[in-house]
């Protein structure tokens, strides 16, 4: 959705300038070698502006915030095509993200590699996924009519998969293997 008002367009442009500057600098020099002051300077903004747009700091400049993931996970489950199981919909959704995406650009691949290789980014990425546990469990419960422990357990397991499978030598194969195991434990989903 494109921002329509002038103020919204300016905010979106500032966010993109900051995120673009951060990606360029991180890929050139590495995440730990870049300061927020350098990013703000590169984007021609103040450090306070950077934090106003990205309260999560440097990590959020690369990975965003949890709200996008929650919305996407919710949509993946609720808007799945008829006949597609919840687990298949979640697998298909994750298969388009980060190290699992077969259609990623060279820059996206480099950014995914940076996340995996940088402890602070990897920890932040994991926290973004696992922070969606309650929301994902609620959506699965709504879709299945079941709100027992196994629904919360499934949500937790699914949200650990990106961190675990994303660091394997063949992330898409590891993702597929993880979901094959989940389907054995939750065959109806």
């Amino acid at each position: 959705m494109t921002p329509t008002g002038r103020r919204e367009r300016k905010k979106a442009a500032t966010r993109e300038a900051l995120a673009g500057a951060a990606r360029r600098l991180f890929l050139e020099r590495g995440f730990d070698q870049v300061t927020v002051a350098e990013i703000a300077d590169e984007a021609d903004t103040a450090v306070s502006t950077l934090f106003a747009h990205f309260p999560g700091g440097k990590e959020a400049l690369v990975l965003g915030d949890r709200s996008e993931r929650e919305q996407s996970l919710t949509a993946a489950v609720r808007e799945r095509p008829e006949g597609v199981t919840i687990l298949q919909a979640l697998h298909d959704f994750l298969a388009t993200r980060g190290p699992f995406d077969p259609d990623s650009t060279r820059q996206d691949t480099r950014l995914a590699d940076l996340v995996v290789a940088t402890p602070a980014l990897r920890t932040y990425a994991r926290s973004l996924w696992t922070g969606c546990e309650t929301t994902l469990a609620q959506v699965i419960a709504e879709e299945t009519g079941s709100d027992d422990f196994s629904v919360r357990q499934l949500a937790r397991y699914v949200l650990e998969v990106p961190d675990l499978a994303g660091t394997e030598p063949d992330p898409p194969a590891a993702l597929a293997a993880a979901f094959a195991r989940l389907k054995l434990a939750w065959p109806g989903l």
Side-chain angles (χ1 to χ4, degrees):
M1 179 181 202
T2 304
T4 54
R6 182 173 188 251
R7 184 174 182 182
E8 290 80 21
R9 287 192 310 270
K10 287 186 74 149
K11 281 183 177 181
T14 299
R15 282 184 63 82
E16 183 50 42
L18 286 163
R23 286 188 299 264
R24 280 190 306 280
L25 291 171
F26 294 154
L27 291 175
E28 286 173 13
R29 300 192 342 232
F31 180 80
D32 294 324
Q33 286 68 46
V34 177
T35 67
V36 290
E38 291 171 316
I39 296 165
D41 187 54
E42 179 81 9
D44 197 25
T45 66
V47 171
S48 60
T49 301
L50 183 149
F51 283 110
H53 287 278
F54 294 94
K58 284 174 36 175
E59 294 84 359
L61 285 157
V62 176
L63 296 163
D65 63 24
R66 189 172 71 219
S67 64
E68 182 275 332
R69 280 174 174 72
E70 285 180 330
Q71 291 169 1
S72 298
L73 283 163
T74 298
V77 173
R78 286 193 176 135
E79 298 169 13
R80 69 190 187 280
E82 190 164 334
V84 173
T85 66
I86 291 172
L87 282 172
Q88 187 61 51
L90 289 168
H91 172 269
D92 294 347
F93 166 72
L94 290 173
T96 66
R97 307 288 295 221
F100 311 113
D101 186 357
D103 298 322
S104 65
T105 65
R106 182 173 171 349
Q107 180 172 340
D108 289 341
T109 300
R110 290 179 63 212
L111 283 170
D113 292 344
L114 178 71
V115 170
V116 169
T118 307
L121 286 173
R122 185 168 170 207
T123 299
Y124 185 75
R126 182 174 179 266
S127 75
L128 291 176
W129 286 115
T130 59
C132 297
E133 180 181 330
T134 300
T135 301
L136 182 58
Q138 288 172 343
V139 171
I140 294 171
E142 290 168 11
E143 292 291 311
T144 63
S146 173
D147 190 16
D148 63 9
F149 173 73
S150 70
V151 169
R152 294 189 316 274
Q153 186 180 20
L154 173 61
R156 179 166 296 180
Y157 289 164
V158 165
L159 295 170
E160 289 289 353
V161 169
D163 181 57
L164 293 170
T167 59
E168 288 295 307
D170 184 351
L175 179 70
F179 272 87
R181 287 182 183 88
L182 290 171
K183 288 174 187 175
L184 291 174
W186 284 274
L189 295 177

